[in-house]
Amino acid sequence: MSYDIVERYKQNPIITLIDIPFPCNTVFNAGATMYKDKYILLLRVETLSGRSVFVLAESHDGIHFSIQKKPVMFPSNEEPFKTYEKRGIEDPRITKIDDTYYIVYTAYSEHSPRLAIAKTKDFVKFERMGLISEPDNKDAALFPEKFNGYYVRLDRPVTSSRANMWISYSKDLIYWGNAKAVMTTRPGYWDGDRLGAGATPFRTTKGWLEIYHGVKSTASGNIYRLGCALFDLNDPSKLIGRSSRPILSPFEFYERVGDVPNVVFTCGVIVNYDKDEEGNIDYDRGVVNIYYGAADTSICLGWVRIEDLLRSVGRED
Ligand code: BMA
């Protein structure tokens, strides 16, 4: 029994370490997109050394994935990335703009986490573009459209014990500025202690929907939950609403128990909008596949309807 509005796939988890064709510790927090009618997941796989790499998985139904034999991205051996990826590459989020898929990820090193960006057009060749923040920053999600000629991202800089969601702007995806805080923690709530962007935001006629994570600290550690926020369609720095309740909370055994207990964490959703008989997209109706890491140990799938997300951001209690 749980009050989540996200419906879990009954056979969760969909990907665990036994599905990875080389020795590893865990697989979790995957970026997600569609490419040539296939569901693509870019998996964060923690290898036996403890450092994470990215592995590609593909599927025709969004549930059963075939996983490539070798990682597509390792911590880099070339500067300037080498220094900042020494402890691994983590939490990839994929955004398609025109014919290019951008991957914003966390570069982790002794200098703390910072953001980096890579790109691919075919999911075969991946090219690093740059390190795009100072530390400590992670949880970046790039919008799939430009606004007044600027690329826009959500991110999560950490400053003296504050961990809130910010927005910033760039002409070239490398140099970013005009940063503003867009969403802050709500003391006492499920997202009272930390929060950060989750999946790539997606469009509705009411605004951009963003599935994010919120953290509540307890006597026995953090609880990571998922919630939903709505940002203005033309000015995504304006927060219109956010769910007062989480949409998904750790509840099942595989979410409660693992390397980091009590975690549901997403880096990627795939949206299947409803269409009318003429094939016109209804941006306010449809099903969202949420791919999420459970207890930093496996990958799970849940579904939620766009209508329910829009209702949840309007609710106050
Ligand atoms: C966050 C990130 C995620 C992880 C989560 C829970 O800070 O490091 O990769 O899933 O913590 O451990």
Side-chain angles (χ1 to χ4, degrees):
M1 165 61 201
S2 89
Y3 291 100
D4 295 325
I5 64 168
V6 174
E7 183 194 346
R8 289 170 177 80
Y9 176 54
K10 294 275 179 304
Q11 274 125 55
N12 270 343
I14 59 167
I15 304 175
T16 70
L17 89 162
I18 55 168
D19 303 306
I20 305 298
F22 55 86
C24 66
N25 286 329
T26 48
V27 47
F28 55 112
N29 300 357
T33 193
M34 294 298 290
Y35 174 66
K36 292 194 172 168
D37 291 333
K38 278 197 259 178
Y39 291 78
I40 297 279
L41 292 183
L42 193 58
L43 313 173
R44 170 179 172 188
V45 173
E46 191 186 285
T47 63
L48 294 182
S49 75
R51 304 183 321 149
S52 292
V53 299
F54 298 157
V55 176
L56 201 74
E58 296 177 347
S59 165
H60 287 287
D61 63 6
I63 300 174
H64 304 94
F65 283 84
S66 61
I67 298 169
Q68 288 188 356
K69 290 212 161 49
K70 288 187 184 150
V72 288
M73 281 179 73
F74 295 90
S76 180
N77 282 324
E78 282 169 36
E79 296 295 4
F81 301 96
K82 187 176 171 185
T83 300
Y84 299 100
E85 297 183 0
K86 239 183 228 161
R87 294 187 185 174
I89 49 176
E90 303 181 349
D91 299 357
R93 290 160 170 105
I94 308 173
T95 301
K96 183 181 185 217
I97 302 178
D98 302 325
D99 63 347
T100 304
Y101 294 81
Y102 296 97
I103 299 146
V104 183
Y105 62 95
T106 305
Y108 188 36
S109 72
E110 77 247 39
H111 302 287
S112 302
R114 65 186 297 198
L115 300 172
I117 187 166
K119 65 180 176 183
T120 183
K121 286 196 172 181
D122 54 11
F123 289 95
V124 176
K125 201 169 143 260
F126 291 79
E127 190 189 324
R128 281 177 170 77
M129 298 168 65
L131 293 154
I132 56 169
S133 80
E134 295 77 29
D136 175 337
N137 202 330
K138 49 161 74 172
D139 301 326
L142 182 64
F143 280 84
E145 288 175 24
K146 286 192 189 177
F147 298 82
N148 302 321
Y150 285 89
Y151 296 99
V152 181
R153 77 174 190 221
L154 300 170
D155 64 10
R156 212 282 304 276
V158 175
T159 57
S160 58
S161 83
R162 301 225 153 260
N164 292 320
M165 197 189 295
W166 287 59
I167 198 165
S168 64
Y169 300 81
S170 174
K171 280 274 184 200
D172 58 5
L173 291 165
I174 304 297
Y175 296 96
W176 293 81
N178 197 19
K180 291 177 212 142
V182 290
M183 198 162 90
T184 54
T185 52
R186 291 179 288 197
Y189 280 61
W190 60 274
D191 56 1
D193 291 296
R194 303 168 80 78
L195 55 80
T200 302
F202 60 92
R203 162 184 281 285
T204 70
T205 68
K206 316 277 187 248
W208 293 97
L209 274 178
E210 165 63 20
I211 314 270
Y212 72 98
H213 67 267
V215 178
K216 182 167 180 146
S217 302
T218 75
S220 59
N222 290 332
I223 305 175
Y224 279 74
R225 298 184 170 100
L226 297 183
C228 184
L230 188 69
F231 292 99
D232 187 272
L233 264 193
N234 301 314
D235 177 359
S237 70
K238 277 194 198 145
L239 178 67
I240 301 175
R242 65 198 279 193
S243 51
S244 53
R245 303 173 179 179
I247 61 166
L248 184 71
S249 295
F251 171 76
E252 295 293 343
F253 187 80
Y254 51 81
E255 299 159 346
R256 292 281 195 197
V257 175
D259 276 4
V260 185
N262 298 315
V263 175
V264 294
F265 190 97
T266 188
C267 292
V269 298
I270 291 181
V271 184
N272 289 305
Y273 293 105
D274 287 353
K275 288 186 183 153
D276 67 15
E277 282 125 45
E278 276 109 55
N280 300 311
I281 295 175
D282 182 345
Y283 285 98
D284 296 338
R285 302 178 75 81
V287 176
V288 183
N289 286 20
I290 302 183
Y291 296 95
Y292 65 95
D296 283 8
T297 297
S298 63
I299 291 187
C300 295
L301 169 62
W303 295 283
V304 64
R305 289 209 54 96
I306 297 173
E307 303 89 293
D308 291 336
L309 292 175
L310 288 172
R311 252 193 300 278
S312 85
V313 292
R315 178 204 283 273
E316 269 305 321
D317 55 5

